[in-house]
Amino acid sequence: MDSPMTRSRSRARAGSVSQSSTPLSASTSVSGSPSMSSSTTSLSSMGEADAKTAGKGKKPLIDTYGNEFELPDFTIKQIRDAIPAHCFERSAVRGLGYVFRDLVLLASTFYAFQFHIIPALQEFHPAARFVAWGIYTFMQGCFGTGIWVLAHECGHQAFSESKIINDTVGWVLHSSLLVPYFSWKISHGKHHKATGHLERDMVFVPKSRAEYSRRYAGIGRDVAELVEETPIATLIHVVLQQLFGWPMYIMTNVTGHNYHTRQSEGRGEGKKNGYFSGVNHFNPSSPLYEAKDAKLILLSDIGIGLTLFALYSAAQQWGAANVAIWYGIPYLWVNHWLVAITFLQHTDPSLPHYHPETWNYCRGAAATIDRELGFIGRTLMHGIVETHVAHHFVSSIPFYHGDEATEAVKKVMGKHYRSDTRGGALGFIKAIWTSSRWCQWVEPTEDAEGDGKYVVFFRNRNNLGVKPMAKDKYVQHTNEAKNDKVVGKA
């Protein structure tokens, strides 16, 4: 690993790493960190004394890098109070201006390549046109991801003060990218309300040790019996994740929680994640939703249907091959960026996850990490990579105030703020591989006591970082064991 660096990230200079996201090769203190106040709101699931003493006087909690971890004890009120008031202001004119900019980028790029660049290459070797179309699809994928992010802003009501404008613009933009706007908006809102919660989070919920063992070692066996995962196996996993992770998520709820029997209206009885199980983003009776959401789910489906019809009509008019180049491959690029961004926001060797006994809103929101994607991330994708931590605390703040909100939030979070911005865009891509190798399942720190037993960290079978606990010391969480029987995995 590179040498840890503790300076703060700024918009003008990238390449820093927060102390809490580095290996244990430097002091665990953070220069200039404010003292943390004890929890004083109902968001905390622990008493004031418990929050202060958790992990103190007991065996310390250890993340995957080997750093000691302390439970965050600041409050959402402290976070909101620290953010300048103007950061909460939303402008429909400004938001629509960004939509116009991105649409112009998409249209002008199509026009330039289709009617000028590609025709100018007709006299050259076909490889020249192949490369040119490759550049086209990459560019359109970046611009399309920018559109995706603006629709995401709409879903959080961060686009404007008007709910009608937000949902109209969001529905049109997301539908054009084959995203079920309202369906995803609802499930994504639940993700924000339960980030890092192993039984309620809606996306990139890590596998437990028991689940990983069952999948890769076999029923009744343990990860201790597994050898190191080959790099080629990791590569195959990464490629499949980046190509198909998004459609698999909205169709089968892969990486989402599987505790559907807890759905308040009884919709989850007999349902579990997977194909043809009824758990998806298109079925109004899915346990991801309530009965009151049915019309919105159908409206989302109509948006998808209209886009599919438009693509079918385009294929009839200009040929399926052309539509695949103009739209299909850029669509796969959008999926890649979406999955990569979300995966790396919530998967890192420094991040904790929580069982219900220890989770609260602020701890979940703090269990995220900012990264750096350079010009692509900050300009084309509207800063979604670089300001995600602040976004998880207050998701209604528009992206153009994200940097200022981040700086304010960092002062309250202190050592609990995480960022890894080394290497810029290339470092971001490298992190996909690093997190895939380091972060394979979660388990508690060996011999953890008290509330520490309900805080889990990533471990792996690749001899990277802290080793998994001894087989005879691992005890599956009671709720997980009960749910395994319900979904037929026990």
Side-chain angles (χ1 to χ4, degrees):
M1 300 293 294
D2 295 337
S3 298
M5 294 158 36
T6 59
R7 62 181 182 271
S8 298
R9 172 179 58 82
S10 68
R11 187 177 181 88
R13 181 172 65 184
S16 65
V17 185
S18 70
Q19 183 64 39
S20 54
S21 63
T22 59
L24 187 59
S25 56
S27 169
T28 55
S29 65
V30 177
S31 175
S33 297
S35 59
M36 308 302 291
S37 301
S38 59
S39 177
T40 58
T41 74
S42 60
L43 287 171
S44 176
S45 62
M46 302 171 62
E48 181 175 338
D50 290 336
K52 286 184 176 182
T53 60
K56 296 181 180 180
K58 301 177 181 178
K59 184 177 178 63
L61 305 180
I62 305 296
D63 70 16
T64 318
Y65 284 135
N67 293 322
E68 291 189 14
F69 173 83
E70 294 180 16
L71 288 168
D73 63 354
F74 49 83
T75 68
I76 189 61
K77 183 179 186 304
Q78 289 174 298
I79 292 289
R80 294 185 70 95
D81 288 349
I83 299 173
H86 67 267
C87 289
F88 296 89
E89 296 175 0
R90 301 161 290 174
S91 168
V93 172
R94 191 168 181 178
L96 289 170
Y98 281 107
V99 172
F100 178 76
R101 185 205 74 174
D102 288 354
L103 291 177
V104 167
L105 288 172
L106 284 165
S108 60
T109 301
F110 174 80
Y111 179 82
F113 275 83
Q114 179 67 21
F115 298 106
H116 294 281
I117 296 174
I118 298 301
L121 296 174
Q122 291 300 320
E123 303 300 322
F124 292 86
H125 191 279
R129 296 193 298 278
F130 179 84
V131 171
W133 278 125
I135 294 172
Y136 164 86
T137 60
F138 175 78
M139 292 175 64
Q140 297 291 69
C142 290
F143 303 149
T145 304
I147 290 290
W148 206 107
V149 173
L150 292 175
H152 164 263
E153 291 273 298
C154 293
H156 282 297
Q157 305 302 303
F159 187 81
S160 77
E161 300 285 345
S162 168
K163 188 175 186 298
I164 293 176
I165 292 176
N166 292 336
D167 286 342
T168 301
V169 173
W171 180 78
V172 171
L173 296 183
H174 259 171
S175 296
S176 70
L177 295 169
L178 297 177
V179 177
Y181 171 73
F182 291 103
S183 308
W184 182 82
K185 169 188 170 181
I186 294 168
S187 68
H188 188 65
K190 293 180 179 180
H191 157 64
H192 272 258
K193 293 177 182 178
T195 306
H197 192 302
L198 290 169
E199 299 176 19
R200 291 174 46 212
D201 202 351
M202 302 296 289
V203 66
F204 281 113
V205 179
K207 297 179 182 65
S208 68
R209 176 168 174 157
E211 182 181 1
Y212 190 92
S213 298
R214 184 168 53 244
R215 178 172 297 188
Y216 294 99
I219 296 175
R221 305 183 70 178
D222 184 72
V223 294
E225 303 172 56
L226 294 172
V227 298
E228 177 182 348
E229 182 178 73
T230 63
I232 188 63
T234 304
L235 179 62
I236 292 172
H237 169 79
V238 168
V239 170
L240 292 176
Q241 171 182 282
Q242 296 309 117
L243 282 176
F244 306 112
W246 167 247
M248 287 289 290
Y249 172 65
I250 59 176
M251 290 190 294
T252 71
N253 202 45
V254 64
T255 81
H257 78 76
N258 206 17
Y259 288 76
H260 302 299
T261 56
R262 296 183 179 180
Q263 205 275 347
S264 59
E265 299 173 343
R267 290 164 163 248
E269 293 297 330
K271 294 181 180 180
K272 59 184 179 180
N273 296 344
Y275 295 104
F276 313 113
S277 66
V279 184
N280 58 60
H281 281 68
F282 304 102
N283 185 351
S285 64
S286 170
L288 301 178
Y289 311 109
E290 285 73 49
K292 63 182 177 62
D293 301 322
K295 293 180 180 179
L296 295 176
I297 309 308
L298 289 174
L299 185 56
S300 302
D301 295 345
I302 290 172
I304 298 293
L306 290 173
T307 299
L308 289 173
F309 177 75
L311 291 171
Y312 171 79
S313 300
Q316 294 294 105
Q317 178 71 28
W318 294 292
N322 281 330
V323 174
I325 294 174
W326 296 339
Y327 181 95
I329 299 177
Y331 169 78
L332 293 179
W333 273 112
V334 173
N335 287 355
H336 155 72
W337 287 120
L338 170 62
V339 173
I341 290 167
T342 310
F343 174 64
L344 292 181
Q345 286 167 342
H346 301 284
T347 309
D348 185 81
S350 69
L351 295 179
H353 284 76
Y354 299 94
H355 286 290
E357 292 86 344
T358 314
W359 180 92
N360 67 39
Y361 180 85
C362 278
R363 289 174 184 165
T368 57
I369 185 169
D370 287 338
R371 299 187 186 271
E372 180 67 48
L373 195 50
F375 174 80
I376 291 176
R378 290 191 172 278
T379 303
L380 301 184
M381 299 178 186
H382 307 295
I384 194 173
V385 174
E386 295 81 7
T387 61
H388 189 70
V389 174
H391 170 71
H392 255 279
F393 283 104
V394 188
S395 58
S396 60
I397 292 177
F399 74 88
Y400 41 81
H401 293 316
D403 280 296
E404 188 173 0
T406 295
E407 293 305 314
V409 164
K410 285 162 65 174
K411 295 175 183 178
V412 178
M413 295 182 70
K415 63 186 175 184
H416 296 293
Y417 172 78
R418 293 175 178 82
S419 68
D420 186 349
T421 61
R422 291 170 297 176
L426 291 179
F428 178 88
I429 299 300
K430 179 183 177 183
I432 299 175
W433 177 264
T434 301
S435 290
S436 297
R437 295 289 289 174
W438 282 69
C439 306
Q440 296 184 323
W441 71 86
V442 292
E443 63 181 49
T445 300
E446 186 168 333
D447 296 326
E449 302 173 88
D451 294 296
K453 294 186 295 184
Y454 307 113
V455 184
V456 296
F457 299 93
F458 287 107
R459 300 292 186 255
N460 61 78
R461 60 198 261 201
N462 298 323
N463 297 314
L464 297 170
V466 174
K467 293 183 178 181
M469 70 169 67
K471 177 181 178 180
D472 60 346
K473 292 189 175 183
Y474 173 73
V475 179
Q476 187 181 22
H477 190 274
T478 303
N479 291 354
E480 183 190 358
K482 290 180 179 178
N483 193 62
D484 282 350
K485 293 181 180 179
V486 171
V487 298
K489 291 184 177 181

